Short mmCIF file of all heavy atoms in Angstrom, two decimals:
data_model
loop_
_atom_site.label_atom_id
_atom_site.label_comp_id
_atom_site.label_asym_id
_atom_site.label_seq_id
_atom_site.Cartn_x
_atom_site.Cartn_y
_atom_site.Cartn_z
N MET A 108 0.85 -1.18 0.00
CA MET A 108 0.00 0.00 0.00
C MET A 108 0.89 1.24 0.00
O MET A 108 1.90 1.29 0.69
CB MET A 108 -0.90 -0.01 1.23
CG MET A 108 -1.92 1.09 1.24
SD MET A 108 -3.15 0.80 2.53
CE MET A 108 -4.28 2.09 2.19
N LEU A 109 0.50 2.20 -0.79
CA LEU A 109 1.23 3.46 -0.86
C LEU A 109 0.40 4.58 -0.24
O LEU A 109 -0.83 4.52 -0.25
CB LEU A 109 1.55 3.81 -2.31
CG LEU A 109 2.44 2.84 -3.07
CD1 LEU A 109 2.55 3.28 -4.52
CD2 LEU A 109 3.80 2.71 -2.44
N TYR A 110 1.09 5.58 0.23
CA TYR A 110 0.41 6.75 0.79
C TYR A 110 0.94 7.99 0.09
O TYR A 110 2.11 8.02 -0.32
CB TYR A 110 0.68 6.86 2.30
CG TYR A 110 0.24 5.64 3.06
CD1 TYR A 110 1.15 4.64 3.37
CD2 TYR A 110 -1.09 5.48 3.44
CE1 TYR A 110 0.74 3.49 4.04
CE2 TYR A 110 -1.50 4.34 4.11
CZ TYR A 110 -0.58 3.35 4.41
OH TYR A 110 -0.99 2.22 5.07
N ILE A 111 0.13 8.97 -0.07
CA ILE A 111 0.53 10.23 -0.69
C ILE A 111 0.61 11.28 0.41
O ILE A 111 -0.38 11.55 1.10
CB ILE A 111 -0.47 10.67 -1.77
CG1 ILE A 111 -0.47 9.63 -2.90
CG2 ILE A 111 -0.12 12.06 -2.28
CD1 ILE A 111 -1.56 9.85 -3.94
N ASN A 112 1.80 11.87 0.55
CA ASN A 112 1.97 12.87 1.60
C ASN A 112 1.29 14.17 1.16
O ASN A 112 1.72 14.79 0.19
CB ASN A 112 3.45 13.10 1.88
CG ASN A 112 3.67 13.91 3.13
OD1 ASN A 112 2.90 14.83 3.41
ND2 ASN A 112 4.69 13.57 3.89
N PRO A 113 0.24 14.57 1.85
CA PRO A 113 -0.48 15.78 1.44
C PRO A 113 0.37 17.05 1.54
O PRO A 113 0.06 18.05 0.91
CB PRO A 113 -1.69 15.82 2.38
CG PRO A 113 -1.29 15.00 3.56
CD PRO A 113 -0.34 13.95 3.04
N LYS A 114 1.47 16.99 2.31
CA LYS A 114 2.35 18.15 2.41
C LYS A 114 3.17 18.34 1.13
O LYS A 114 3.63 19.43 0.84
CB LYS A 114 3.31 18.01 3.60
CG LYS A 114 2.61 18.07 4.94
CD LYS A 114 3.63 17.91 6.05
CE LYS A 114 2.95 17.91 7.41
NZ LYS A 114 3.92 17.63 8.49
N HIS A 115 3.37 17.23 0.40
CA HIS A 115 4.19 17.30 -0.81
C HIS A 115 3.37 17.30 -2.10
O HIS A 115 3.89 17.66 -3.15
CB HIS A 115 5.17 16.13 -0.83
CG HIS A 115 6.10 16.11 0.34
ND1 HIS A 115 7.10 17.03 0.52
CD2 HIS A 115 6.15 15.31 1.43
CE1 HIS A 115 7.74 16.80 1.65
NE2 HIS A 115 7.18 15.74 2.23
N CYS A 116 2.15 16.87 -2.02
CA CYS A 116 1.28 16.82 -3.20
C CYS A 116 0.98 18.24 -3.68
O CYS A 116 0.65 19.12 -2.89
CB CYS A 116 -0.03 16.11 -2.84
SG CYS A 116 -1.21 16.06 -4.20
N ILE A 117 1.09 18.43 -4.99
CA ILE A 117 0.82 19.75 -5.57
C ILE A 117 -0.52 19.79 -6.30
O ILE A 117 -0.79 20.71 -7.07
CB ILE A 117 1.95 20.19 -6.52
CG1 ILE A 117 2.12 19.17 -7.66
CG2 ILE A 117 3.26 20.37 -5.74
CD1 ILE A 117 3.05 19.64 -8.76
N ASP A 118 -1.33 18.74 -6.08
CA ASP A 118 -2.68 18.69 -6.66
C ASP A 118 -2.67 18.77 -8.18
O ASP A 118 -3.50 19.46 -8.78
CB ASP A 118 -3.55 19.80 -6.08
CG ASP A 118 -3.79 19.63 -4.59
OD1 ASP A 118 -3.75 18.48 -4.10
OD2 ASP A 118 -4.02 20.66 -3.92
N CYS A 119 -1.76 18.04 -8.80
CA CYS A 119 -1.71 18.08 -10.26
C CYS A 119 -2.66 17.06 -10.90
O CYS A 119 -2.88 17.09 -12.10
CB CYS A 119 -0.29 17.83 -10.75
SG CYS A 119 0.24 16.10 -10.60
N TYR A 120 -3.15 16.12 -10.08
CA TYR A 120 -4.10 15.09 -10.54
C TYR A 120 -3.49 14.04 -11.47
O TYR A 120 -4.20 13.21 -12.02
CB TYR A 120 -5.33 15.70 -11.22
CG TYR A 120 -6.30 16.38 -10.30
CD1 TYR A 120 -6.01 17.61 -9.74
CD2 TYR A 120 -7.52 15.79 -9.99
CE1 TYR A 120 -6.91 18.24 -8.89
CE2 TYR A 120 -8.43 16.41 -9.15
CZ TYR A 120 -8.12 17.65 -8.60
OH TYR A 120 -9.02 18.27 -7.77
N ALA A 121 -2.20 14.07 -11.72
CA ALA A 121 -1.58 13.12 -12.65
C ALA A 121 -1.74 11.67 -12.18
O ALA A 121 -1.82 10.76 -12.99
CB ALA A 121 -0.11 13.45 -12.85
N CYS A 122 -1.75 11.45 -10.89
CA CYS A 122 -1.82 10.08 -10.36
C CYS A 122 -3.23 9.50 -10.43
O CYS A 122 -3.40 8.28 -10.48
CB CYS A 122 -1.32 10.04 -8.93
SG CYS A 122 -2.24 11.11 -7.81
N VAL A 123 -4.22 10.33 -10.43
CA VAL A 123 -5.62 9.84 -10.34
C VAL A 123 -5.97 8.88 -11.48
O VAL A 123 -6.41 7.76 -11.21
CB VAL A 123 -6.60 11.02 -10.26
CG1 VAL A 123 -8.04 10.53 -10.32
CG2 VAL A 123 -6.36 11.83 -8.99
N PRO A 124 -5.73 9.22 -12.74
CA PRO A 124 -6.08 8.28 -13.82
C PRO A 124 -5.12 7.11 -13.94
O PRO A 124 -5.41 6.14 -14.63
CB PRO A 124 -6.07 9.15 -15.07
CG PRO A 124 -5.13 10.25 -14.75
CD PRO A 124 -5.30 10.51 -13.28
N GLU A 125 -3.96 7.19 -13.28
CA GLU A 125 -2.96 6.12 -13.38
C GLU A 125 -3.25 4.93 -12.48
O GLU A 125 -2.78 3.83 -12.72
CB GLU A 125 -1.56 6.67 -13.06
CG GLU A 125 -1.06 7.69 -14.05
CD GLU A 125 -0.96 7.14 -15.47
OE1 GLU A 125 -0.58 5.97 -15.62
OE2 GLU A 125 -1.26 7.88 -16.41
N CYS A 126 -4.01 5.13 -11.44
CA CYS A 126 -4.29 4.03 -10.50
C CYS A 126 -5.21 3.00 -11.19
O CYS A 126 -6.31 3.34 -11.63
CB CYS A 126 -4.97 4.57 -9.24
SG CYS A 126 -5.36 3.24 -8.08
N PRO A 127 -4.76 1.73 -11.27
CA PRO A 127 -5.54 0.71 -11.97
C PRO A 127 -6.83 0.31 -11.26
O PRO A 127 -7.68 -0.33 -11.88
CB PRO A 127 -4.57 -0.47 -12.08
CG PRO A 127 -3.63 -0.28 -10.94
CD PRO A 127 -3.49 1.21 -10.77
N VAL A 128 -6.97 0.67 -10.01
CA VAL A 128 -8.19 0.29 -9.29
C VAL A 128 -8.97 1.52 -8.80
O VAL A 128 -9.81 1.42 -7.90
CB VAL A 128 -7.86 -0.65 -8.10
CG1 VAL A 128 -7.33 -1.98 -8.61
CG2 VAL A 128 -6.89 -0.01 -7.13
N ASP A 129 -8.69 2.67 -9.39
CA ASP A 129 -9.41 3.91 -9.05
C ASP A 129 -9.43 4.18 -7.55
O ASP A 129 -10.47 4.54 -6.97
CB ASP A 129 -10.84 3.85 -9.58
CG ASP A 129 -10.90 3.75 -11.10
OD1 ASP A 129 -9.99 4.31 -11.75
OD2 ASP A 129 -11.83 3.11 -11.62
N ALA A 130 -8.26 4.01 -6.92
CA ALA A 130 -8.19 4.19 -5.48
C ALA A 130 -7.69 5.57 -5.06
O ALA A 130 -7.60 5.86 -3.87
CB ALA A 130 -7.28 3.12 -4.88
N ILE A 131 -7.35 6.40 -6.04
CA ILE A 131 -6.81 7.72 -5.70
C ILE A 131 -7.85 8.79 -6.03
O ILE A 131 -8.40 8.84 -7.12
CB ILE A 131 -5.51 8.01 -6.48
CG1 ILE A 131 -4.47 6.93 -6.17
CG2 ILE A 131 -4.97 9.39 -6.12
CD1 ILE A 131 -3.20 7.06 -7.01
N PHE A 132 -8.10 9.63 -5.05
CA PHE A 132 -9.03 10.75 -5.21
C PHE A 132 -8.37 12.01 -4.69
O PHE A 132 -7.59 11.96 -3.74
CB PHE A 132 -10.30 10.53 -4.37
CG PHE A 132 -11.10 9.32 -4.78
CD1 PHE A 132 -10.84 8.08 -4.21
CD2 PHE A 132 -12.12 9.43 -5.71
CE1 PHE A 132 -11.58 6.97 -4.57
CE2 PHE A 132 -12.88 8.32 -6.06
CZ PHE A 132 -12.60 7.08 -5.50
N HIS A 133 -8.71 13.13 -5.30
CA HIS A 133 -8.33 14.39 -4.67
C HIS A 133 -9.10 14.47 -3.36
O HIS A 133 -10.22 13.95 -3.24
CB HIS A 133 -8.70 15.58 -5.57
CG HIS A 133 -8.22 16.89 -5.03
ND1 HIS A 133 -8.97 17.64 -4.16
CD2 HIS A 133 -7.05 17.54 -5.21
CE1 HIS A 133 -8.30 18.73 -3.85
NE2 HIS A 133 -7.12 18.70 -4.47
N GLU A 134 -8.52 15.09 -2.37
CA GLU A 134 -9.13 15.13 -1.04
C GLU A 134 -10.59 15.59 -1.09
O GLU A 134 -11.44 15.08 -0.37
CB GLU A 134 -8.31 16.05 -0.13
CG GLU A 134 -8.79 16.05 1.31
CD GLU A 134 -7.85 16.81 2.24
OE1 GLU A 134 -6.70 17.08 1.84
OE2 GLU A 134 -8.28 17.13 3.35
N GLU A 135 -10.88 16.53 -1.93
CA GLU A 135 -12.25 17.06 -2.00
C GLU A 135 -13.21 16.10 -2.70
O GLU A 135 -14.43 16.27 -2.62
CB GLU A 135 -12.24 18.40 -2.73
CG GLU A 135 -11.48 19.47 -1.97
CD GLU A 135 -11.38 20.77 -2.75
OE1 GLU A 135 -11.87 20.83 -3.88
OE2 GLU A 135 -10.78 21.71 -2.20
N ASP A 136 -12.67 15.08 -3.37
CA ASP A 136 -13.50 14.13 -4.12
C ASP A 136 -13.63 12.76 -3.46
O ASP A 136 -14.28 11.87 -4.02
CB ASP A 136 -12.93 13.93 -5.53
CG ASP A 136 -12.85 15.21 -6.32
OD1 ASP A 136 -13.72 16.09 -6.10
OD2 ASP A 136 -11.93 15.35 -7.15
N VAL A 137 -13.04 12.59 -2.28
CA VAL A 137 -13.09 11.28 -1.61
C VAL A 137 -14.54 10.96 -1.24
O VAL A 137 -15.22 11.76 -0.58
CB VAL A 137 -12.22 11.28 -0.34
CG1 VAL A 137 -12.38 9.97 0.42
CG2 VAL A 137 -10.76 11.51 -0.70
N PRO A 138 -15.04 9.78 -1.66
CA PRO A 138 -16.41 9.40 -1.31
C PRO A 138 -16.62 9.39 0.22
O PRO A 138 -15.70 9.11 0.98
CB PRO A 138 -16.55 7.99 -1.88
CG PRO A 138 -15.56 7.95 -3.01
CD PRO A 138 -14.40 8.78 -2.52
N LYS A 139 -17.83 9.67 0.62
CA LYS A 139 -18.14 9.81 2.04
C LYS A 139 -17.71 8.58 2.84
O LYS A 139 -17.18 8.71 3.95
CB LYS A 139 -19.64 10.05 2.19
CG LYS A 139 -20.07 10.39 3.60
CD LYS A 139 -21.55 10.75 3.65
CE LYS A 139 -21.96 11.13 5.05
NZ LYS A 139 -23.39 11.49 5.11
N GLU A 140 -17.94 7.38 2.28
CA GLU A 140 -17.63 6.17 3.04
C GLU A 140 -16.13 5.94 3.21
O GLU A 140 -15.72 5.10 4.01
CB GLU A 140 -18.27 4.94 2.39
CG GLU A 140 -17.73 4.58 1.02
CD GLU A 140 -18.53 5.22 -0.11
OE1 GLU A 140 -19.08 6.33 0.06
OE2 GLU A 140 -18.58 4.60 -1.19
N TRP A 141 -15.30 6.69 2.50
CA TRP A 141 -13.85 6.51 2.61
C TRP A 141 -13.16 7.74 3.21
O TRP A 141 -11.94 7.81 3.20
CB TRP A 141 -13.26 6.18 1.25
CG TRP A 141 -13.74 4.89 0.69
CD1 TRP A 141 -14.21 3.81 1.39
CD2 TRP A 141 -13.81 4.53 -0.70
NE1 TRP A 141 -14.57 2.81 0.51
CE2 TRP A 141 -14.33 3.21 -0.76
CE3 TRP A 141 -13.48 5.18 -1.87
CZ2 TRP A 141 -14.54 2.56 -1.97
CZ3 TRP A 141 -13.67 4.52 -3.07
CH2 TRP A 141 -14.19 3.23 -3.11
N GLN A 142 -13.92 8.66 3.73
CA GLN A 142 -13.33 9.90 4.25
C GLN A 142 -12.35 9.65 5.39
O GLN A 142 -11.43 10.42 5.58
CB GLN A 142 -14.44 10.84 4.72
CG GLN A 142 -15.38 11.27 3.63
CD GLN A 142 -15.17 12.68 3.18
OE1 GLN A 142 -14.90 13.54 3.99
NE2 GLN A 142 -15.30 12.93 1.91
N ARG A 143 -12.56 8.56 6.15
CA ARG A 143 -11.65 8.29 7.27
C ARG A 143 -10.23 8.02 6.78
O ARG A 143 -9.26 8.14 7.54
CB ARG A 143 -12.16 7.12 8.11
CG ARG A 143 -12.14 5.78 7.40
CD ARG A 143 -12.79 4.70 8.26
NE ARG A 143 -12.65 3.38 7.72
CZ ARG A 143 -13.39 2.87 6.73
NH1 ARG A 143 -14.34 3.60 6.18
NH2 ARG A 143 -13.20 1.65 6.31
N PHE A 144 -10.10 7.65 5.52
CA PHE A 144 -8.78 7.36 4.98
C PHE A 144 -7.97 8.62 4.71
O PHE A 144 -6.75 8.55 4.52
CB PHE A 144 -8.89 6.52 3.71
CG PHE A 144 -9.29 5.09 3.98
CD1 PHE A 144 -10.59 4.67 3.76
CD2 PHE A 144 -8.38 4.18 4.48
CE1 PHE A 144 -10.98 3.35 4.02
CE2 PHE A 144 -8.74 2.87 4.74
CZ PHE A 144 -10.04 2.45 4.52
N ILE A 145 -8.60 9.76 4.68
CA ILE A 145 -7.86 11.01 4.46
C ILE A 145 -6.86 11.21 5.60
O ILE A 145 -5.67 11.45 5.38
CB ILE A 145 -8.82 12.21 4.37
CG1 ILE A 145 -9.71 12.06 3.13
CG2 ILE A 145 -8.04 13.52 4.34
CD1 ILE A 145 -10.81 13.11 3.02
N ARG A 146 -7.33 11.06 6.83
CA ARG A 146 -6.44 11.23 7.99
C ARG A 146 -5.42 10.09 8.07
O ARG A 146 -4.24 10.33 8.35
CB ARG A 146 -7.27 11.30 9.27
CG ARG A 146 -6.44 11.51 10.51
CD ARG A 146 -7.32 11.68 11.72
NE ARG A 146 -6.51 11.68 12.94
CZ ARG A 146 -7.02 11.70 14.13
NH1 ARG A 146 -8.32 11.74 14.32
NH2 ARG A 146 -6.23 11.70 15.19
N LEU A 147 -5.88 8.86 7.84
CA LEU A 147 -4.98 7.71 7.89
C LEU A 147 -3.85 7.89 6.87
O LEU A 147 -2.68 7.64 7.18
CB LEU A 147 -5.75 6.43 7.61
CG LEU A 147 -4.91 5.14 7.56
CD1 LEU A 147 -4.33 4.84 8.94
CD2 LEU A 147 -5.75 3.98 7.07
N ASN A 148 -4.20 8.31 5.66
CA ASN A 148 -3.19 8.53 4.63
C ASN A 148 -2.16 9.55 5.09
O ASN A 148 -0.94 9.33 4.95
CB ASN A 148 -3.85 9.01 3.34
CG ASN A 148 -2.83 9.43 2.31
OD1 ASN A 148 -2.19 8.61 1.69
ND2 ASN A 148 -2.65 10.74 2.16
N ALA A 149 -2.61 10.66 5.65
CA ALA A 149 -1.70 11.71 6.09
C ALA A 149 -0.78 11.22 7.19
O ALA A 149 0.42 11.52 7.20
CB ALA A 149 -2.50 12.93 6.56
N GLU A 150 -1.33 10.44 8.12
CA GLU A 150 -0.52 9.91 9.23
C GLU A 150 0.51 8.91 8.71
O GLU A 150 1.68 8.96 9.08
CB GLU A 150 -1.42 9.25 10.27
CG GLU A 150 -2.29 10.23 11.02
CD GLU A 150 -3.30 9.57 11.94
OE1 GLU A 150 -3.40 8.32 11.94
OE2 GLU A 150 -4.00 10.30 12.66
N LYS A 151 0.08 7.99 7.88
CA LYS A 151 0.99 6.95 7.37
C LYS A 151 2.06 7.54 6.46
O LYS A 151 3.20 7.08 6.43
CB LYS A 151 0.20 5.88 6.63
CG LYS A 151 -0.67 5.03 7.52
CD LYS A 151 0.18 4.14 8.39
CE LYS A 151 -0.65 3.11 9.12
NZ LYS A 151 0.18 2.23 9.97
N ALA A 152 1.70 8.55 5.69
CA ALA A 152 2.66 9.17 4.77
C ALA A 152 3.86 9.75 5.53
O ALA A 152 4.96 9.80 5.00
CB ALA A 152 1.98 10.26 3.95
N GLU A 153 3.64 10.16 6.76
CA GLU A 153 4.72 10.73 7.55
C GLU A 153 5.69 9.67 8.06
O GLU A 153 6.85 9.96 8.31
CB GLU A 153 4.15 11.50 8.75
CG GLU A 153 3.44 12.78 8.39
CD GLU A 153 4.39 13.85 7.87
OE1 GLU A 153 5.58 13.81 8.18
OE2 GLU A 153 3.92 14.73 7.12
N SER A 154 5.22 8.44 8.22
CA SER A 154 6.07 7.41 8.82
C SER A 154 6.64 6.40 7.83
O SER A 154 7.53 5.64 8.17
CB SER A 154 5.29 6.67 9.91
OG SER A 154 4.16 6.03 9.36
N CYS A 155 6.15 6.38 6.61
CA CYS A 155 6.63 5.42 5.62
C CYS A 155 7.78 6.02 4.81
O CYS A 155 7.79 7.22 4.55
CB CYS A 155 5.50 5.03 4.66
SG CYS A 155 4.22 4.04 5.44
N PRO A 156 8.72 5.17 4.40
CA PRO A 156 9.83 5.69 3.58
C PRO A 156 9.33 6.08 2.21
O PRO A 156 8.41 5.45 1.67
CB PRO A 156 10.79 4.50 3.52
CG PRO A 156 9.94 3.30 3.74
CD PRO A 156 8.83 3.74 4.68
N PRO A 157 9.91 7.11 1.60
CA PRO A 157 9.49 7.53 0.26
C PRO A 157 9.87 6.49 -0.80
O PRO A 157 10.90 5.83 -0.68
CB PRO A 157 10.21 8.85 0.03
CG PRO A 157 11.36 8.83 0.97
CD PRO A 157 10.96 7.98 2.14
N VAL A 158 9.06 6.36 -1.82
CA VAL A 158 9.36 5.49 -2.96
C VAL A 158 10.20 6.30 -3.94
O VAL A 158 9.76 7.34 -4.42
CB VAL A 158 8.06 5.01 -3.65
CG1 VAL A 158 8.39 4.18 -4.88
CG2 VAL A 158 7.22 4.20 -2.67
N ARG A 159 11.40 5.80 -4.22
CA ARG A 159 12.31 6.54 -5.10
C ARG A 159 12.61 5.80 -6.38
O ARG A 159 13.21 6.35 -7.29
CB ARG A 159 13.62 6.85 -4.36
CG ARG A 159 13.40 7.68 -3.12
CD ARG A 159 14.71 8.21 -2.58
NE ARG A 159 14.55 8.85 -1.29
CZ ARG A 159 14.09 10.07 -1.10
NH1 ARG A 159 13.70 10.77 -2.14
NH2 ARG A 159 13.97 10.58 0.10
N GLU A 160 12.21 4.52 -6.45
CA GLU A 160 12.49 3.73 -7.64
C GLU A 160 11.26 2.94 -8.04
O GLU A 160 10.49 2.49 -7.19
CB GLU A 160 13.64 2.75 -7.39
CG GLU A 160 14.96 3.41 -7.10
CD GLU A 160 16.05 2.39 -6.79
OE1 GLU A 160 15.83 1.20 -7.02
OE2 GLU A 160 17.10 2.81 -6.32
N GLU A 161 11.10 2.75 -9.35
CA GLU A 161 10.03 1.92 -9.84
C GLU A 161 10.39 0.46 -9.66
O GLU A 161 11.54 0.07 -9.87
CB GLU A 161 9.79 2.20 -11.33
CG GLU A 161 8.63 1.45 -11.90
CD GLU A 161 8.38 1.83 -13.35
OE1 GLU A 161 8.82 2.91 -13.77
OE2 GLU A 161 7.73 1.03 -14.06
N THR A 162 9.45 -0.36 -9.21
CA THR A 162 9.70 -1.79 -9.05
C THR A 162 8.87 -2.56 -10.07
O THR A 162 7.84 -2.08 -10.52
CB THR A 162 9.35 -2.26 -7.63
OG1 THR A 162 7.98 -1.98 -7.37
CG2 THR A 162 10.21 -1.57 -6.59
N ALA A 163 9.35 -3.72 -10.39
CA ALA A 163 8.65 -4.54 -11.40
C ALA A 163 7.42 -5.20 -10.82
O ALA A 163 7.25 -5.38 -9.68
CB ALA A 163 9.58 -5.60 -11.95
S1 LIG B 69 0.81 13.00 -9.06
FE1 LIG B 69 -0.79 12.84 -7.49
S2 LIG B 69 0.36 12.78 -5.55
FE2 LIG B 69 1.76 13.53 -7.10
S3 LIG B 69 1.57 15.78 -6.97
FE3 LIG B 69 0.14 15.07 -8.55
S4 LIG B 69 -1.82 14.83 -7.48
FE4 LIG B 69 -0.21 14.92 -5.93
#
């Protein structure tokens, strides 16, 4: 699972259409039933190491 650090995101939306399972939303577009993940994402993004290389 990956997390997007909201402090570093510039809201370019480039990642949204790239997700194969439509799991990425702009914060303002997150469906109501998944809103709790906004905070979880922000918390986890602070503690997980950044992804710097593409993996196969
Ligand atoms: S690609 Fe996604 S996570 Fe990266 S800056 Fe753009 S909107 Fe934010």
Side-chain angles (χ1 to χ4, degrees):
M108 186 168 187
L109 298 175
Y110 302 96
I111 296 172
N112 192 322
K114 292 179 182 175
H115 300 290
C116 177
I117 59 170
D118 295 333
C119 74
Y120 287 74
C122 58
V123 174
E125 295 300 323
C126 179
V128 294
D129 298 327
I131 302 174
F132 297 89
H133 186 272
E134 186 172 344
E135 295 175 359
D136 300 329
V137 175
K139 188 174 182 180
E140 66 268 31
W141 296 335
Q142 298 254 322
R143 67 186 187 281
F144 287 102
I145 295 173
R146 182 176 171 185
L147 177 66
N148 172 76
E150 292 174 355
K151 290 291 189 179
E153 290 291 336
S154 61
C155 291
V158 176
R159 300 192 188 281
E160 296 178 11
E161 184 176 339
T162 59

